[in-house]
Amino acid sequence: MTGLLIENTLLKQAEVSVERGIPPAQRDNYLKIVVAGMKYALDKGPGGVLASLKDSKDPLSDSVRGAIGIVGALRRGAKGTMPVAAMVPAAMTLLLHALDFAEKMKLLTITTVELNKATQLFSETIMPLLQVSKAKLDESVGQVHDILRDPEKMAQYKGQQNGAAKLG
């Protein structure tokens, strides 16, 4: 997906980071979950899950809970056959798209602070559902934060986006 629909540069960078961490054997599963999740989120148009953010009092938390809830619903529909190695990054990607949508709707402004809060809440919410230990949770959150705070990686990413924009 790599930022095709996301406009916020920080969220695009986060999506690239998520996708780099997906095991190659799970890439197709990840894409299937993201596409199904986007369809689920957009289903029912203005009465759908994504559109419901417009009435949210806490769009950041509701984006986190919505992304995890969508993937949970898809997993239940898949009767438990959804691999966790694809499911968690897909849920994070859906979160990033929800945050971008919320920003486009002027419900919030995404900066590093908000993205860190969303990432932390995402981890705190999804990991216990998957019975992941606190140590593994802390390690994962630390890796994401390190990537987002690296000015060289941010500059490299912006360069890649500018080059892609010139080609397209």
Side-chain angles (χ1 to χ4, degrees), residues 8 26 34 95 118 157-158:
N8 179 296
Q26 293 301 325
V34 171
L95 166 60
Y157 177 76
K158 285 181 180 177

Side-chain angles (χ1 to χ4, degrees), residues 27 62 83 126 164:
R27 178 87 177 147
D62 289 342
I126 201 166

